Amino acid sequence: MIDPRFPARLLEDLSRGGSIAGPRTRLNLDRYGDESDDLPGLVPFARDGGGGAWYLDVEDRLQRGAGAVFYLHMSETYGDTRFIASTYDALLQRVSEGLHPHDMPSFDQLASEHAPKNTRVPGIEGLVDVERIHASTGRPATVTPHDDARCEGGFVARAGTPVYLSEHGRIYLVTLAGPALVEGVACAGGTELFRHPETGRPLRFTPSEPMVVEGLPLAPFHEVTIPDPVYFAEVSGVLARDHDVKGLPLAGGTHLSLSSRIFNGTLRADAVVAGSALPAGTSFELSNGVLRPPLIRGGAPS
């Protein structure tokens, strides 16, 4: 349904449909859906064909003036929003002159223009440089500690490496300076730890001890991912020993990715994989349940 609060020229263009193109971007006019979860109160009126959408702020929610135009890609969040033009007419003019949405700074970039250095932030001991700020909350989004820094959660962040924080201040990505026990998981030092931004649960890490995930015996000192509805669709890691997975006899040392179906593996015995008889020692990869060539034949990994 076309919003009657749209300006007359936009209403006219929407009634005709079609596209408006400039040298570097295109507006496919279409009142196609509801407002974005990240931009409540803003009404979409066009798409770019690549997952991006233009929104009209009909009630001046973002305080750039009623009728201001904003751009946000469907895979991005509030901080990635870009103010494009003060009116629809101004947007058309800028598009005709060669504007691309990413020419304009995001809200996070604007908020980070004067990010402080040599400062302290909650949850991290010692001095840090703030590299990026969440426009939504005004809190640090990325910081770099000057020295190895103990963090809330009991682990130590490596000096000079970025630490990423959620909009609410929880560390969710960090390079560990040394071994750490995180939510009961023994993690190796020197590796990246990705934690759930809300719960702190480790979702991607390198364990320093053997562990079992989703029934799979996984080896230490190889990166592991834990399935999560939002962040990781599959479990991955290296099998600590010979193990049957989805009815297939896989060899210890196999790097494995698994969700509802198996994506890859190395056979320790002859088996039928996706309808093909394969000998022991074959490493295979599946795409949508179909074997992808070339198959690698040889001894199973040690």
Side-chain angles (χ1 to χ4, degrees):
M1 178 178 179
I2 294 177
D3 195 306
R5 296 171 293 179
F6 285 166
R9 186 172 181 182
L10 175 54
L11 289 171
E12 182 180 347
D13 288 345
L14 282 167
S15 69
R16 290 197 302 261
S19 299
I20 297 172
R24 299 175 59 220
T25 194
R26 175 183 295 272
L27 282 77
N28 299 315
L29 295 168
D30 180 10
R31 180 62 183 95
Y32 64 92
D34 297 326
E35 63 194 47
S36 165
D37 290 339
D38 293 295
L39 298 177
L42 275 68
V43 186
F45 65 88
R47 290 176 283 183
D48 65 2
W54 280 267
Y55 296 84
L56 202 73
D57 189 355
V58 294
E59 296 180 353
D60 196 17
R61 295 286 187 92
L62 298 183
Q63 300 181 342
R64 300 296 202 283
V69 178
F70 296 84
Y71 176 90
L72 181 64
H73 193 277
M74 64 182 297
S75 66
E76 297 176 329
T77 57
Y78 177 86
D80 302 298
T81 304
R82 299 166 194 273
F83 169 61
I84 303 298
S86 58
T87 65
Y88 177 66
D89 284 348
L91 167 69
L92 297 184
Q93 179 65 33
R94 302 199 68 189
V95 167
S96 71
E97 293 170 350
L99 172 78
H100 188 279
H102 286 91
D103 294 339
M104 306 301 291
S106 70
F107 285 179
D108 278 357
Q109 288 170 333
L110 291 171
S112 304
E113 286 181 344
H114 303 291
K117 308 298 182 183
N118 300 310
T119 189
R120 297 178 185 273
V121 300
I124 302 176
E125 294 182 0
L127 294 174
V128 303
D129 292 338
V130 178
E131 313 294 349
R132 188 169 63 90
I133 292 173
H134 289 293
S136 57
T137 60
R139 294 182 175 183
T142 309
V143 304
T144 302
H146 293 190
D147 303 300
D148 289 355
R150 182 163 296 280
C151 302
E152 184 179 0
F155 49 85
V156 177
R158 175 176 285 178
T161 62
V163 177
Y164 297 86
L165 300 99
S166 72
E167 294 176 336
H168 303 292
R170 183 184 291 274
I171 295 172
Y172 68 87
L173 182 60
V174 59
T175 299
L176 299 179
L181 189 67
V182 183
E183 298 289 321
V185 176
C187 298
T191 60
E192 275 197 347
L193 166 68
F194 180 89
R195 308 164 72 210
H196 192 288
E198 295 178 3
T199 67
R201 176 187 179 219
L203 295 178
R204 190 184 79 219
F205 54 92
T206 299
S208 58
E209 299 175 355
M211 64 184 307
V212 176
V213 178
E214 302 284 308
L216 299 173
L218 299 179
F221 304 108
H222 295 277
E223 189 173 77
V224 166
T225 61
I226 305 292
D228 180 84
V230 175
Y231 298 100
F232 297 105
E234 61 193 47
V235 56
S236 67
V238 171
L239 288 178
R241 60 178 184 273
D242 292 352
H243 188 73
D244 289 355
V245 180
K246 299 290 184 182
L248 296 176
L250 299 188
T254 293
H255 184 278
L256 180 72
S257 297
L258 176 71
S259 59
S260 59
R261 62 175 67 179
I262 189 170
F263 296 111
N264 62 283
T266 299
L267 299 173
R268 71 174 188 275
D270 297 350
V272 175
V273 181
S276 298
L278 302 179
T282 300
S283 293
F284 65 87
E285 184 176 351
L286 296 168
S287 177
N288 295 320
V290 178
L291 281 169
R292 294 182 60 183
L295 301 177
I296 302 172
R297 293 181 173 83
S302 58

